[in-house]
């Protein structure tokens, strides 16, 4: 991807008069991405809803877990959007992302409630709840094979992403020179700042409330943090996070519910990325939004963020689908953000820490965490022979 961007910069600088015909690469890639996105989001959300644990566990404290997960998601969305608005990152890109399709913008509820992505999301949640209540074992292999096939197709499409990244980089370099890349450096710096502020202020406060510190949590999860950076997939550390939670005294039954739930619908780093990039692109496009429009945009993002459900690469898919509901956003802006996707490692680190600390907080406040030496700990001693609990002993 970075090679494609680099070659695009060189092409745009050397042959600025020959970049117009490359635009079809960007529009064609976005069309293919949308074609794959809807069925992939449908099957992934369906899988996530079915994987969040037995109905008996949901009746005990699942509502509390969902409330905490949604609260952290809203906090992370506000942090990302607020950082972009305060820093004014997108204003430094105004006039550099190509022509806009509109000069004004107004959010209308009927238009968004009928948006195909929201309809797909609603259908996936309803179907997941129905299949939890009335399982159809014969359909499970078919659903998993379909989801795996779509993921392979998405990975194959991403292999072609350097081509549209090359086209966007060439066109924008030819038009605006090095200024566009200084603006993208601002985007990266702002996103890292927003993620760091969320980790220190929100997750740090939660760690203190749970009787630990953020530095200690990071030290205990350093292997998992390095794993998600190397694999570029937050879900690759799911087993390690579950082991760490049991090592902190969380009951295994609670861990089996919370970890899949948060890796499916509680990835705070992806939500920060979504809120930050939405505001940046709206500012860069020169669209005029009132306070009510911004609130409506965040409400839309809060709904669409549920599509970023633990699938590697789903965050930028959800960003692209959300942008399709907003008139006036030029496609080059999305492709440039997609081009620097690999540099946004802060999103993965925030995802992992958010899941770990969020689950720890829920267990601590709902009576699902026991301290070594107490009666509750002795009662759970028989569960320590499980593979996940055994792995937790090494972490402790």
């Amino acid at each position: 991807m970075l090679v494609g961007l680099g070659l695009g910069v060189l092409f745009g600088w050397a042959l600025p008069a020959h970049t117009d015909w490359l635009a079809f690469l960007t529009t064609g890639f976005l069309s293919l991405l949308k074609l794959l996105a809807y069925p992939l989001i449908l099957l992934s959300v369906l899988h996530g809803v079915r994987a969040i644990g037995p109905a008996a566990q949901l009746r005990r404290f699942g509502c509390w877990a969902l409330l905490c997960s949604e609260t952290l998601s809203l906090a992370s969305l506000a942090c990302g959007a607020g950082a972009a608005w305060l820093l004014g990152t997108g204003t430094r890109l105004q006039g550099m992302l190509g022509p806009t399709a509109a000069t004004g913008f107004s959010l209308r509820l009927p238009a968004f409630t009928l948006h195909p992505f929201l309809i797909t999301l609603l259908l996936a949640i309803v179907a997941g709840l129905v299949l939890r209540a009335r399982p159809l074992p014969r359909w499970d292999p078919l659903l998993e094979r379909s989801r795996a096939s779509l993921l392979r197709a998405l990975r194959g499409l991403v292999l072609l992403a350097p081509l549209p990244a090359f086209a966007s980089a060439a066109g924008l370099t030819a038009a605006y020179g090095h200024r566009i890349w200084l603006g993208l450096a601002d985007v990266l710096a702002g996103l890292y700042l927003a993620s760091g502020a969320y980790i220190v202020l929100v997750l740090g406060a939660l760690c203190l409330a749970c009787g630990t510190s953020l530095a200690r949590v990071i030290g205990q999860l350093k292997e998992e943090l390095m794993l998600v950076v190397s694999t570029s997939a937050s879900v690759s550390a799911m087993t390690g996070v579950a082991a760490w939670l049991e090592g902190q005294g969380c009951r295994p039954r609670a861990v089996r519910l919370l970890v899949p739930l948060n890796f499916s619908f509680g990835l705070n780093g992806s939500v920060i990325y979504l809120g930050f990039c939405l505001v940046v692109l709206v500012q860069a496009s020169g669209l005029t939004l009132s306070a009510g429009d911004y609130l409506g945009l965040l409400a839309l993002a809060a709904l669409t963020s549920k599509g970023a459900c633990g699938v590697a690469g789903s965050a930028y898919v959800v960003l692209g689908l959300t942008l399709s509901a907003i008139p006036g956003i030029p496609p080059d802006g999305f492709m440039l953000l997609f081009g620097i996707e690999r540099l946004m490692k802060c999103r993965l680190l925030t995802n992992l820490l958010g899941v770990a600390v969020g689950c720890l907080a829920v267990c601590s406040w709902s009576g699902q965490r026991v301290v070594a030496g107490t009666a509750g700990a002795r009662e759970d001693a028989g569960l320590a022979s499980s593979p996940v609990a055994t792995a937790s002993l090494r972490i402790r």
Side-chain angles (χ1 to χ4, degrees):
M1 181 67 70
L2 295 178
V3 172
L5 285 176
L7 292 176
V9 171
L10 293 176
F11 188 91
W13 175 75
L15 300 170
H18 299 279
T19 57
D20 293 341
W21 64 273
L22 296 173
F24 79 95
L25 293 174
T26 300
T27 55
F29 179 84
L30 291 178
S31 298
L32 290 175
L33 187 64
K34 291 178 183 179
L35 184 64
L36 288 176
Y38 288 110
L40 178 60
I41 294 299
L42 174 66
L43 292 176
S44 297
V45 174
L46 178 62
H47 175 81
V49 171
R50 295 173 61 209
I52 61 177
Q57 286 182 321
L58 286 177
R59 283 195 294 268
R60 292 194 190 102
F61 77 113
C63 292
W64 170 246
L66 286 171
L67 177 62
C68 289
S69 176
E70 289 307 305
T71 301
L72 288 177
S73 291
L74 290 176
S76 55
L77 181 64
C79 183
W85 183 73
L86 289 174
L87 295 173
T89 306
T91 59
R92 290 186 286 277
L93 289 170
Q94 279 187 4
M96 298 187 193
L97 298 183
T100 60
T103 56
F105 174 52
S106 179
L107 289 168
R108 296 179 176 84
L109 184 61
F112 284 132
T113 54
L114 296 177
H115 191 270
F117 181 45
L118 296 185
I119 295 175
T120 302
L121 196 61
L122 178 61
L123 287 176
I125 293 173
V126 172
L129 293 173
V130 170
L131 289 177
R132 277 172 48 82
R134 303 178 68 87
L136 297 173
R138 291 181 298 177
W139 286 86
D140 288 346
L142 176 61
L143 292 175
E144 286 304 313
R145 285 197 299 270
S146 300
R147 180 169 174 265
S149 298
L150 286 171
L151 285 174
R152 286 194 297 270
L154 178 62
R155 285 192 287 267
L157 181 61
V158 169
L159 293 177
L160 300 177
L163 294 176
F166 168 85
S168 295
L172 292 174
T173 301
Y176 305 107
H178 68 280
R179 291 182 298 153
I180 186 68
W181 305 108
L182 294 177
L184 287 179
D186 281 347
V187 172
L188 275 178
L191 184 60
Y192 272 86
L193 181 61
S195 299
Y198 178 80
I199 290 173
V200 172
L201 298 178
V202 178
L203 299 185
L206 285 179
C207 288
L208 292 176
C210 295
T212 185
S213 68
L214 180 62
R216 180 180 299 177
V217 171
I218 292 175
Q220 292 172 338
L221 289 173
K222 59 181 180 296
E223 293 183 4
E224 283 72 23
L225 292 170
M226 289 188 290
L227 177 63
V228 299
V229 169
S230 61
T231 60
S232 296
S234 304
V235 74
S236 63
M238 182 184 292
T239 302
V241 170
W244 177 79
L245 287 169
E246 291 192 24
Q248 300 303 306
C250 300
R251 296 183 186 274
R253 291 185 296 273
V255 172
R256 286 194 293 269
L257 169 66
L258 288 174
V259 172
L261 172 66
N262 281 274
F263 269 104
S264 296
F265 302 111
L267 295 178
N268 301 150
S270 295
V271 179
I272 291 174
Y273 162 84
L274 180 61
F276 186 88
C277 292
L278 278 176
V279 174
V280 165
L281 290 175
V282 167
Q283 291 176 336
S285 301
L287 299 177
T288 303
L289 272 71
S290 65
D293 287 335
Y294 269 113
L295 290 176
L297 180 63
L298 293 182
L300 173 66
L303 291 173
T304 57
S305 66
K306 302 310 166 192
C309 46
V311 176
S314 60
Y316 58 78
V317 173
V318 170
L319 175 62
L321 291 178
T322 307
L323 290 175
S324 69
I326 305 175
I329 303 292
D332 282 336
F334 172 69
M335 283 313 308
L336 282 181
L337 291 180
F338 186 50
I340 59 174
E341 174 79 18
R342 293 292 182 181
L343 301 178
M344 299 179 179
K345 299 297 185 181
C346 57
R347 188 182 68 203
L348 301 169
L349 300 177
T350 309
N351 282 342
L352 178 61
L353 290 173
V355 169
V357 176
C359 291
L360 183 67
V362 171
C363 290
S364 299
W365 298 339
S366 61
Q368 296 296 320
R369 185 185 179 199
V370 294
V371 181
T374 64
R378 290 191 294 272
E379 178 183 335
D380 285 347
L383 296 170
S385 59
S386 68
V388 172
T390 302
S392 71
L393 297 177
R394 294 194 295 271
I395 294 178
R396 294 177 70 187

